[in-house]
């Protein structure tokens, strides 16, 4: 049984007439890492601040461990936040920063030292405990900020894009390391980012936020491969959409015609022939063929128009007969620009977009 | 690259620009400073008598002569007291303007506070005379109302009047630097401290106050340092109060003992330089041109 | 929370009103009062103090003298200080150089006044408006340097690089790019220097000898009760003219000024 750490009920936040958040309902389970993913201005930081107690929602309820948190100040909440700018105290050294929360809790100094040491070892910063904050590198500063929050053993750790200023390589390393620490501690973390790749690397589940609303919540694989929302599908990179009409449903397999292309996919229970649906196929799920395949479902044909070399893979644009464009991602490309090619994919790779 | 050649020496252009100013300050500030130092070690007497013999007696006088020693000690204590009073009044105001007012609206009020600095400070001393003086507003009002029938003298010509006028003078110099430092503390630091368990009082003493120290240090420079050389305020509203500045002025212009006056000036100079050095060590010099 | 905020707001406005503004407003009220004492209720409205102050030959002379000193000081400080501010920008991390320039600015004025007095006496220059000006420039150089340097430092260095990249030489770049960008700060520093020099009492007090400027006229008049209302009238004029000038430079201060521009 999963226990619920955090429950948000109908959270709305208004600044004057501007709606920052609207009807947010979300549950976070103990021991999971949930990422709130969204473009800038989507309200994700506001949501985090409401959970941390820095802002009060205009309406709605915040429950942590089945206790109502509305009106409870940050210093009485069992949460801790790693801030976007880290907010390390510039007048205190690393040790004093990390031990801040413990000192406030009037813990005996020996115990403080022990705790700080063990958390510092976990994060590999035991050698820099007496440094000044201004002497830290970007990566070290991240670790100190994390240590400062982890050491007070919060029920929920909130992370507000803490890896933002790091360069790409360091960022990748930190993502993996953070994820490892979170799993080892079996802790509940809520992570905010606008980077979909980061979200996928780190999370158990992802909640996609747009303009103050949660569009979709789901585990990583589901939300990437089978999103139900068009915006969510696009947020994870360029992809292919088809506007279709269901022709027939047999043995749970639906056949739809989409502008001269016939697509088969696993039908939902309430679908019926005649329904209009939007389908989505990820570029890397599509295979390119020189010769026409034997079947005529899940096949399209067109001309190779553009190739962008991306290192590990190639981004390819195909112009279909009906002058629509399809995106294909492939590791290699044995064809030339302008060549006539066929595209195929499997039933199970087709996602049905509901919104 | 951009150098002008002087025989063998090459001086970078950007240094060259500064030379006229350096020379000017050297002649009209640093040489006079050296003269003060020299004078202070000469033997002096009344009526501008100067005997060019090395002596420490002008400095020794500040340890031996009770009057001179008291003037030095009291001037320092008074300057420190005024500084503390100003900070006690200025801090809540700066805090209110910097942290509790939305956006830039605090800056408008800061400007309102800074405007009187443009006024001649004799005018400001004069203004207080009108309120505190024997024929001033307070006495006249109280007498008109029949509360008293003799003018109160403790208000004016007293150390209290000096404190009031000096606090009035010093307030803008404390409110503004405090406002700037308080504004420059990112809000996330307060949030982080609260997040880690600090309540508002603890946030103030552990985060706000330590981080506003540079502002307090700058205020110290602008309040304590001028006060130890002040002579107009005590002369105009201080009655019999006699501060280091009055001692210097009198020794220079009335008694005419320049060596002793120079030694007294050296006291002011050394105390100021110590204050400046400590403050710059604490805050760096960057705030001067930021 | 809201109660403490309200308390602080009341405190702030009380201090601003009573500790900062009321004395100045009273000076203005007093200047129109038909009495040499400041007594409530007021005796009656009069402009006679203003008439008398302009009939006082010593006051008129002091105004002229103050303007002469302030203009000369401003000219000297700008000529010396603006070039030095370019040096200061490059050498500001050199503590000896920066300290050399800055110390006259932070030392009490009394020390500048006294040391200049000794200096002029020793080398035999008689005290006059000239010695006043020379000693005023000591304080004004760092003032100009710091105000202009603040602007120079805040300038994007790429402007100058871009100008040279587009083919302008150093002099053209200075005239077309740098000067227009720092011009406001030079104007502001000139204005501040002028006001400061016009108003300065302490340095002037030691270096003027037997001549007179406005602050010295006030100093003298304050010691004679009959003349006190004249000081009120003169002060009111200065307060009103000063406020107008301050209001004019307010815009600049709010937006572009460095720390010091705002404190002076």
């Amino acid at each position: 049984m999963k226990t619920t750490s955090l429950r948000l009920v109908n959270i709305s936040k208004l600044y004057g007439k501007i709606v920052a958040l609207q009807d947010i309902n979300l549950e976070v389970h103990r021991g999971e890492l949930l990422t709130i993913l969204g473009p800038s201005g989507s309200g994700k930081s506001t949501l985090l601040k409401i959970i941390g107690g820095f802002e009060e929602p205009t309406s709605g309820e915040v429950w942590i461990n089945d206790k109502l948190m509305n009106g409870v100040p940050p210093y009485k909440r069992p949460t801790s936040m790693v801030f976007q700018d880290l907010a390390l105290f510039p007048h205190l050294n690393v040790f004093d920063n990390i031990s801040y929360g413990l000192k406030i809790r009037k813990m005996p100094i020996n115990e403080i030292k022990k705790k700080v040491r063990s958390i510092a070892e976990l994060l590999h910063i035991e050698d820099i405990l007496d440094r000044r904050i201004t002497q830290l590198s970007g990566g070290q500063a991240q670790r100190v900020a994390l240590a400062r929050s982890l050491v007070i053993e919060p029920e929920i750790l909130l992370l507000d894009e803490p890896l933002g200023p790091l360069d790409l390589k360091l960022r990748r390393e930190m993502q993996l390391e953070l994820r490892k620490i979170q799993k080892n501690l079996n802790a509940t973390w809520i992570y905010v980012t606008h980077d979909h790749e980061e979200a996928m690397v780190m999370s158990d589940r992802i909640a996609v936020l747009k303009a103050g609303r949660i569009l979709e919540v789901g585990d990583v694989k589901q939300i990437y491969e089978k999103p139900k929302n068009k915006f969510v599908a696009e947020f994870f990179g360029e992809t292919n959409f088809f506007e279709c009409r269901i022709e027939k449903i047999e043995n749970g397999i639906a056949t739809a015609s989409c502008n001269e292309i016939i697509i088969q996919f696993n039908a939902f229970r309430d679908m019926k022939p005649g329904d209009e649906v939007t389908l989505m196929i990820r570029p890397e799920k599509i295979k390119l063929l020189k010769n026409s395949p034997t079947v005529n479902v899940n096949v399209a044909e067109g001309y190779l128009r553009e190739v962008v070399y991306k290192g590990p893979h190639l981004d390819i644009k195909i112009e279909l007969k009906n002058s629509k464009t399809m995106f294909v991602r492939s590791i290699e490309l044995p064809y030339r620009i302008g060549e006539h090619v066929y595209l195929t994919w499997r039933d199970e790779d087709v996602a049905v977009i509901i919104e | 690259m951009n150098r002008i050649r002087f025989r063998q020496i090459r001086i970078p252009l950007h240094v060259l620009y500064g030379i006229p100013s350096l020379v000017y300050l050297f002649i009209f500030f640093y040489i006079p400073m050296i003269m003060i130092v020299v004078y202070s070690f000469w033997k002096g007497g009344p009526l501008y008598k100067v005997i060019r013999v090395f002596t420490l007696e002008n400095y020794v006088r500040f340890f031996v002569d009770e009057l001179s020693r008291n003037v030095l000690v009291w001037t320092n204590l008074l300057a420190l007291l005024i500084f503390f009073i100003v900070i006690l009044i200025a801090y809540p105001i700066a805090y209110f303007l910097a942290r509790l007012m939305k956006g830039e609206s605090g800056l408008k009020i800061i400007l309102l506070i800074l405007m009187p600095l443009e006024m001649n400070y004799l005018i400001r001393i004069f203004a207080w005379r009108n309120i505190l003086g024997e024929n001033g507003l307070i006495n006249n009002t109280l007498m008109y109302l029949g509360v008293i029938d003799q003018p109160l003298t403790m208000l004016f010509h007293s150390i209290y009047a000096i404190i009031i006028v000096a606090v009035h003078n010093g307030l803008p110099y404390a409110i503004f630097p405090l406002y700037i430092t308080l504004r420059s503390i990112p809000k996330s630091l307060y949030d982080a401290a609260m997040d880690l368990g600090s309540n508002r009082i603890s946030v103030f003493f552990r985060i706000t106050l330590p981080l506003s120290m540079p502002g307090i240090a700058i205020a110290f420079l602008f309040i304590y340092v001028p006060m130890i050389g002040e002579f107009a305020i005590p002369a105009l509203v201080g009655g019999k109060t006699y501060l280091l500045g009055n001692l210097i002025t009198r020794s220079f212009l009335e008694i005419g003992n320049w060596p002793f006056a120079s030694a007294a000036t050296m006291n002011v100079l050394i105390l100021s330089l110590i204050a400046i050095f400590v403050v710059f060590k604490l805050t760096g010099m960057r705030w001067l041109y930021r | 929370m809201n109660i403490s905020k309200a308390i602080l707001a009341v405190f702030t406005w009380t201090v601003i009103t009573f500790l900062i503004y009321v004395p100045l407003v009273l000076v203005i009220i007093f200047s129109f009062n038909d009495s040499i004492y400041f007594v409530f209720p007021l005796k009656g409205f009069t402009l006679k103090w203003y008439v008398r102050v302009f009939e006082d030959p010593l006051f008129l002379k002091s105004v002229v003298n103050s303007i002469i000193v302030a203009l000369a000081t401003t000219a000297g400080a700008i000529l010396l200080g603006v070039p030095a501010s370019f040096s200061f920008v490059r050498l500001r991390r050199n503590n000896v150089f920066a300290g050399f320039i800055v110390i006259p600015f932070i030392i009490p004025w009394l020390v500048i006044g006294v040391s200049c007095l000794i200096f002029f006496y020793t080398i035999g220059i008689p005290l006059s408006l000239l010695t006043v000006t020379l000693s005023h420039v000591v304080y004004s150089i760092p003032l100009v340097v710091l105000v202009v340097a603040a602007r120079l430092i805040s300038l994007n260095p790429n402007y100058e690089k871009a100008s040279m990249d587009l083919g302008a030489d150093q002099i053209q770049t200075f005239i077309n790019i740098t000067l227009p960008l720092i011009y406001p700060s030079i104007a502001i520093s000139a204005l501040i220097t002028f006001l400061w020099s016009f108003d300065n009492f302490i340095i002037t007090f030691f270096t003027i000898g037997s001549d007179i400027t406005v602050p010295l006229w006030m100093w003298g008049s304050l010691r004679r009760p009959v003349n006190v209302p004249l000081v009120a009238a003169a002060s009111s004029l200065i307060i009103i003219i000063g406020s107008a000038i301050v209001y004019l430079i307010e815009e600049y201060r709010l937006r572009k000024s460095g720390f010091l521009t705002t404190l002076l």
Side-chain angles (χ1 to χ4, degrees):
Chain A
M1 241 339 253
K2 281 177 184 167
T3 38
T4 303
S5 230
L6 169 78
R7 201 164 79 240
L8 301 177
V9 185
N10 287 327
I11 296 282
S12 293
K13 177 74 184 175
L14 302 164
Y15 293 108
K17 282 184 177 171
I18 299 159
V19 182
L21 292 169
Q22 201 174 358
D23 296 327
I24 303 285
N25 287 288
L26 187 65
E27 286 198 4
V28 182
H29 311 302
R30 180 159 303 150
E32 85 167 331
L33 196 156
L34 178 119
T35 294
I36 300 171
L37 175 67
S40 55
S42 57
K44 50 193 194 303
S45 284
T46 308
L47 186 56
L48 211 61
K49 281 182 187 143
I50 286 174
I51 300 170
F54 304 108
E55 306 228 8
E56 282 296 317
T58 311
S59 62
E61 292 162 0
V62 179
W63 294 80
I64 296 174
N65 285 347
D66 293 322
K67 283 198 200 82
L68 185 62
M69 285 290 136
N70 292 44
V72 176
Y75 47 90
K76 288 187 181 155
R77 291 195 188 199
T79 56
S80 188
M81 173 114 105
V82 178
F83 289 81
Q84 194 162 11
D85 63 358
L86 304 181
L88 294 174
F89 305 128
H91 59 304
L92 304 177
N93 69 11
V94 171
F95 178 88
D96 289 338
N97 261 282
I98 299 176
S99 60
Y100 186 92
L102 301 177
K103 282 183 184 152
I104 294 289
R105 286 167 177 74
K106 303 228 158 55
M107 192 176 271
I109 186 72
N110 289 330
E111 213 169 316
I112 291 180
K113 281 184 181 157
K114 231 168 68 192
K115 284 208 167 210
V116 171
R117 182 139 291 276
S118 75
I119 205 83
E121 275 162 14
L122 178 72
L123 287 158
H124 312 297
I125 48 172
E126 65 271 26
D127 296 332
I128 57 166
L129 287 178
D130 46 10
R131 287 234 190 124
R132 296 183 62 84
I133 292 307
T134 44
Q135 297 167 328
L136 300 180
S137 71
Q140 287 170 332
Q142 308 282 352
R143 287 161 194 269
V144 174
L146 191 66
R148 187 176 70 175
S149 284
L150 283 179
V151 81
I152 60 171
E153 292 166 13
E155 168 68 29
I156 303 173
L157 185 72
L158 310 167
L159 301 101
D160 190 1
E161 304 207 35
L163 304 184
L166 298 187
D167 63 58
L168 198 62
K169 184 168 171 291
L170 193 55
R171 202 176 158 136
R172 293 271 144 78
E173 285 169 18
M174 281 299 285
Q175 288 167 1
L176 296 174
E177 191 175 336
L178 286 181
R179 178 61 165 155
K180 211 166 80 189
I181 291 168
Q182 183 265 338
K183 275 191 170 158
N184 282 343
L185 297 172
N186 196 24
T188 314
W189 286 16
I190 301 175
Y191 193 96
V192 158
T193 184
H194 63 269
D195 178 346
H196 63 274
E197 286 176 30
E198 186 164 290
M200 286 191 284
V201 172
M202 298 195 60
S203 324
D204 291 305
R205 290 193 304 148
I206 297 175
V208 181
L209 205 63
K210 186 201 173 194
R213 288 168 174 274
I214 290 186
L215 299 180
E216 198 169 347
V217 188
D219 64 52
V220 175
K221 195 170 151 69
Q222 175 215 327
I223 215 156
Y224 178 73
E225 291 183 358
K226 295 284 166 59
K228 296 189 178 65
N229 181 289
K230 195 171 177 182
F231 177 83
V232 173
E234 277 179 318
F235 198 75
F236 285 90
E238 267 179 327
T239 187
N240 302 297
F241 292 106
F242 303 89
E243 301 300 329
C244 312
R245 189 189 172 81
I246 296 174
E247 299 291 340
K248 59 176 182 182
I249 300 178
E250 275 172 8
N251 303 327
I253 303 287
T255 307
S257 78
C258 324
N259 245 331
E260 298 160 20
I261 299 168
I262 296 165
I263 298 178
Q264 273 189 353
F265 60 98
N266 297 322
F268 288 6
R269 218 167 265 164
D270 55 349
M271 280 178 172
K272 54 188 186 301
D275 283 357
E276 303 276 342
V277 290
T278 304
L279 302 177
M280 195 267 317
I281 304 165
R282 291 266 171 222
E284 66 274 14
K285 303 290 186 191
I286 296 170
K287 262 204 232 152
L288 292 180
L289 299 171
K290 180 71 199 151
N291 300 315
S292 172
T294 46
V295 289
N296 67 343
V297 294
N298 290 353
V299 171
E301 58 180 307
Y303 295 94
L304 205 151
R305 285 296 177 226
E306 200 182 304
V307 178
V308 178
Y309 182 71
K310 284 278 182 76
H313 62 257
L314 301 158
D315 277 351
I316 300 152
K317 270 188 198 170
I318 310 279
E319 192 187 333
L320 298 186
K321 283 261 172 71
N322 61 13
S323 81
K324 272 197 161 183
T325 305
M326 272 182 78
F327 303 102
V328 178
R329 184 167 293 171
S330 165
I331 294 169
E332 50 182 13
L333 184 70
Y335 314 110
R336 278 172 288 109
I337 299 235
E339 217 168 318
H340 182 267
V341 289
Y342 292 91
L343 303 86
T344 72
W345 54 88
R346 301 180 301 173
D347 298 2
E348 57 263 41
D349 292 332
V350 178
V352 182
I353 303 292
I354 290 169
E355 294 165 56
Chain B
M1 282 178 291
N2 315 312
R3 289 157 199 260
I4 288 181
R5 292 189 66 150
F6 284 116
R7 295 203 196 97
Q8 297 305 316
I9 315 158
R10 283 155 164 258
I11 301 173
L13 209 52
H14 66 262
V15 175
L16 204 68
Y17 293 141
I19 286 177
S21 281
L22 295 183
V23 170
Y24 188 94
L25 290 178
F26 185 73
I27 295 174
F28 292 103
F29 181 72
Y30 289 98
I31 289 181
M33 248 352 94
I34 294 165
M35 284 182 173
I36 291 250
V37 176
V38 172
Y39 260 96
S40 73
F41 288 108
W42 279 342
K43 223 171 153 58
L47 299 170
Y48 307 99
K49 198 159 76 199
V50 176
I51 305 159
R52 301 192 172 189
V53 177
F54 176 84
T55 175
L56 286 172
E57 69 176 27
N58 300 314
Y59 290 96
V60 171
R61 212 167 135 183
F62 280 97
F63 295 97
V64 185
D65 176 29
E66 205 180 328
L67 177 81
S68 313
R69 189 178 60 214
N70 282 349
V71 166
L72 183 61
V73 172
W74 280 109
T75 303
N76 267 288
L77 289 181
L78 188 66
L80 288 174
L81 174 72
I82 286 162
F83 166 71
F84 281 118
I85 296 174
V86 170
I87 291 294
L88 281 183
I89 299 176
Y91 206 105
I93 295 176
Y95 186 86
F96 170 72
L97 297 177
R99 298 263 297 118
L100 302 179
M101 292 203 63
K102 286 227 169 74
E104 298 290 278
S105 49
L107 207 57
K108 293 227 166 73
I109 298 173
I110 283 287
L111 220 94
L112 207 61
I113 293 169
L114 291 173
M115 277 222 324
L117 279 186
E118 231 68 25
M119 310 304 162
N120 186 316
Y121 93 137
L122 286 179
I123 297 181
R124 283 180 281 143
I125 299 173
F126 169 59
W128 281 101
R129 258 170 85 125
N130 296 327
I131 296 175
L132 304 169
E134 240 168 288
N135 295 307
L137 178 68
I138 293 180
N139 271 326
N140 272 313
T141 312
L142 290 178
M143 274 160 66
Y144 179 75
L145 295 172
V147 180
I148 49 171
D149 45 47
Q150 285 287 312
L152 294 173
T153 46
M154 65 159 278
L155 288 173
F156 198 53
H157 297 310
S158 71
I159 199 153
Y160 306 109
I162 298 182
I163 293 174
I164 292 175
V165 175
V167 166
H168 158 96
N169 260 334
L171 272 176
Y173 290 109
I175 294 175
F176 185 62
L178 282 171
Y179 172 82
I180 296 287
T181 37
L182 286 171
R183 282 295 283 201
S184 69
I185 303 173
K187 188 177 176 295
S188 63
L189 291 188
Y190 303 109
D191 283 350
M194 277 210 194
D195 186 62
L196 295 166
S198 278
N199 58 25
R200 282 175 212 292
I201 295 165
S202 153
V203 169
F204 178 78
F205 283 106
R206 284 172 179 270
I207 308 296
T208 318
L209 193 59
L211 284 176
S212 54
M213 274 306 164
I216 295 178
I218 292 165
F220 182 72
L221 212 54
F222 277 98
I223 294 164
Y224 170 82
V225 171
M227 199 56 213
I228 54 173
E230 183 61 61
F231 72 90
I233 298 177
L236 287 173
V237 303
K240 293 198 184 68
T241 319
Y242 195 63
L243 298 183
L244 202 48
N246 306 92
L247 179 95
I248 292 169
T249 318
R250 223 166 98 81
S251 304
F252 262 115
L253 303 176
E254 287 166 39
I255 299 173
N257 185 343
W258 282 22
F260 177 64
S262 297
T265 310
M266 286 299 292
N267 280 315
V268 175
L269 183 66
I270 290 165
L271 287 170
S272 324
L273 288 177
I274 292 171
I276 292 166
F277 182 78
V278 171
V279 168
F280 279 2
K281 269 277 169 242
L282 274 173
T283 63
M285 265 171 79
R286 212 176 301 162
W287 60 269
L288 272 171
Y289 44 83
R290 222 187 0 217
Chain C
M1 183 61 198
N2 279 332
I3 292 171
S4 56
K5 191 176 168 178
I7 292 171
L8 280 174
V10 170
F11 180 73
T12 300
W13 285 110
T14 310
V15 170
I16 292 175
T17 312
F18 288 99
L19 220 47
I20 298 181
Y21 273 94
V22 161
L24 299 178
V25 174
L26 286 178
V27 171
I28 298 175
I29 295 174
F30 187 27
S31 72
F32 292 109
N33 187 29
D34 195 2
S35 161
I36 63 164
Y37 298 118
F38 195 40
V39 188
F40 270 121
L42 298 167
K43 287 275 160 61
F45 179 85
T46 179
L47 288 173
K48 72 176 175 198
W49 308 121
Y50 288 89
V51 176
R52 281 217 207 140
V53 83
F54 279 107
E55 284 169 358
D56 182 346
L58 215 52
F59 175 72
L60 296 177
K61 188 178 172 216
S62 74
V63 171
V64 172
N65 282 351
S66 274
I67 290 175
I68 291 171
V69 168
L71 281 177
T73 301
T74 308
I78 293 292
L79 283 175
L80 292 165
V82 173
S85 61
F86 285 86
S87 304
F88 188 85
V89 172
R90 296 283 292 270
L91 299 171
R92 63 184 188 271
R93 283 181 231 296
N94 178 335
N95 281 337
V96 175
F97 176 84
F100 196 93
I101 296 271
V102 164
I103 280 179
F105 181 74
I106 322 177
I107 233 75
W109 293 335
L110 174 98
V111 176
I112 298 179
V114 165
S115 59
C116 282
L117 167 64
I118 286 199
F119 174 75
F120 293 130
Y121 174 81
T122 309
I123 63 170
I125 300 178
L127 298 181
S128 65
L129 293 184
L130 173 70
T131 53
V132 173
T133 306
L134 289 173
S135 56
H136 277 196
V137 172
V138 168
Y139 177 83
S140 309
I141 287 175
L143 193 155
V144 171
V145 168
L146 290 170
V147 171
V148 177
R151 179 74 185 125
L152 277 172
I153 290 164
S154 72
L155 274 189
N156 184 343
N158 286 340
Y159 293 155
E160 291 183 1
K161 287 188 189 135
S163 161
M164 292 199 227
D165 186 57
L166 294 168
D169 64 25
Q170 293 206 326
I171 293 165
Q172 287 169 320
T173 299
F174 179 79
I175 292 171
N176 292 319
I177 306 296
T178 316
L179 197 58
L181 286 170
I182 64 165
Y183 170 72
S185 71
I186 296 176
I188 285 289
S189 67
L191 202 56
I192 295 173
T193 305
F194 184 91
L195 287 177
W196 173 82
S197 173
F198 187 93
D199 261 0
N200 180 272
F201 168 65
I202 292 181
I203 297 179
T204 316
F205 179 74
F206 287 101
T207 52
I208 197 162
S210 57
D211 224 321
I212 195 164
T213 61
V214 173
L216 278 154
W217 174 84
M218 281 187 183
W219 171 259
S221 302
L222 281 176
R223 302 178 146 213
R224 262 168 298 157
V226 222
N227 269 351
V228 168
L230 300 191
V231 180
S235 301
S236 303
L237 285 175
I238 295 175
I239 290 174
I240 290 160
I241 295 168
S243 308
I245 295 173
V246 172
Y247 183 79
L248 287 177
I249 58 179
E250 186 169 313
E251 278 278 304
Y252 179 84
R253 300 171 116 207
L254 268 177
R255 273 193 264 109
K256 298 181 195 159
S257 62
F259 188 87
L260 272 173
T261 330
T262 323
L263 246 192
L264 289 162

